[in-house]
Amino acid sequence: MNTYGRLLRILTLIGLLLPGLPVQAALEPGTPAPAIRTTGALGGQRFDFELADALKQGAVVLYFFPAAFTPGCTVEAHEFAEASDEFAALGARVVGVSTDDIETLQRFSVSECRSKFAVLSDEDGAITRDYDAVLRPGSNYAARISYVIAPDGEILFVHEGPKPGPHIRETLQAVRNWRQQHGAAGAE
């Protein structure tokens, strides 16, 4: 077994022993964001979502969360809802992703997201896998990972961690930095 194989095996064992930590590393800044096409909910209403279309309107803050209506995910949704106007003023749109079914996310989009931002259903886990956001091998849950994606589809910033609060603060700062570097043209 080569060094890479041994390292992967060790990380897998650590992930099994420490279930709150993601085993896979998130995608790196500077890489292209994988395409997304799925069903989402905003204000309780279903809609078709395509990342390429959302990026035409500006940057996207794409955050993965383990499960709707759990304590940490509820706190995170409330905080993103409170900050959504500030993200919008900077030319960015917040979008949550979980492996919950769309019916659950329709309710979550109203009560916890306060109808301020969309949440996407990834029931089969394909999007979560594409973004290296699986909580741990064999899990059907996403890890708490947030991405800031530029309108050109490049991943600008990544934050991983179990606590919801830093995701909002750090992605907001990343969007501010992007906006300062790109000015009004960055939001087009």
Side-chain angles (χ1 to χ4, degrees), residues 83-107:
S84 64
D85 290 340
E86 192 170 355
F87 279 108
L90 293 166
R93 176 180 184 178
V94 174
V95 179
V97 180
S98 80
T99 57
D100 289 301
D101 61 64
I102 191 63
E103 292 80 13
T104 299
L105 292 176
Q106 283 179 273
R107 293 187 313 275

Side-chain angles (χ1 to χ4, degrees), residues 145-170:
I145 297 177
S146 298
Y147 292 95
V148 175
I149 305 169
D152 66 1
E154 178 184 323
I155 294 173
L156 299 174
F157 176 81
V158 181
H159 180 77
E160 290 182 80
K163 295 182 180 177
H167 289 264
I168 291 82
R169 287 190 305 275
E170 293 189 21

